[in-house]
Amino acid sequence: MRLNRILLSTALVVVALVVQVTVLARLHLPGAVPDLLLLVVIGLALVYGHTSGALLGFCAGLLADLAPPADHATGRYALVLCLVGYAVGLVRPENGRLRSATVPMIVVVVAAIGSTLLYAGVGSLVGDTSARHVGLTGLLFSAALYDLLLAPFTVPLIMTLARRTENDPLAGEGPSTMGGGEGAYGWLGGGGRGSRIGGQRSGLLGKSARNRSGRMKGAKRL
């Protein structure tokens, strides 16, 4: 991973963990706790891909495992976020274009449900049966709902920050590529259609100008 990715990812993970432990965990909402750390991993994996997503997920989960007041086995959440980061990174298209908010919203819901199931499954393997007493169905519903409500305010911002740390054409270097960069990973439709129409229009104008020039030169020879 490049240095700019490491610095941005570290800052986002630390801020998300602090907010989740000090604010979200103390709201005492029914069911699950909104998982801001999961949303950070999702946003970064959608930009950086599956390899970086898995590495970021593991580091973020391990930090959450070690941060107080953690009451579970170390490495449990690291494994969950590692798998989630890898799976979310696979959703990122080859050309890096996400043209609507539908795909990220579906990814958030599936990741929230999948991470809850994985966490409960790993817990059952190590003898933690707390999910059975709380009610797994309620946890799944509340986790998906809370993360879905929180995602529009966090995931687009995280993806925008991640794009700006990239030094590739999709990240936007110069005026012409800035438009392509915003549509590349953004949640709104890309502006490539307008640029193609403009290019076709300029090509037609240039062709007609060359034809007029040819006719003028021919008349001059006569």
Side-chain angles (χ1 to χ4, degrees), residues 93-166:
E94 289 286 334
N95 58 1
R97 295 183 181 274
L98 293 174
R99 295 183 176 274
S100 69
T102 304
V103 173
M105 286 292 118
I106 294 175
V107 169
V108 168
V109 174
V110 173
I113 295 175
S115 61
T116 305
L117 289 174
L118 284 173
Y119 189 81
V122 174
S124 64
L125 293 177
V126 296
D128 184 4
T129 59
S130 58
R132 298 178 182 177
H133 303 293
V134 176
L136 186 58
T137 303
L139 284 177
L140 293 175
F141 177 78
S142 58
L145 178 62
Y146 296 153
D147 292 346
L148 188 60
L149 292 176
L150 193 60
F153 305 100
T154 55
V155 176
L157 177 61
I158 293 167
M159 294 176 67
T160 301
L161 292 175
R163 289 199 308 269
R164 295 193 181 279
T165 61
E166 292 294 279

Side-chain angles (χ1 to χ4, degrees), residues 1-9 48 52 162 165-168:
M1 291 180 65
R2 288 177 290 194
L3 180 61
N4 51 2
R5 288 188 178 187
I6 295 175
L7 294 177
L8 176 65
S9 303
Y48 294 152
S52 298
T165 61
E166 292 294 279
N167 294 321
D168 55 13

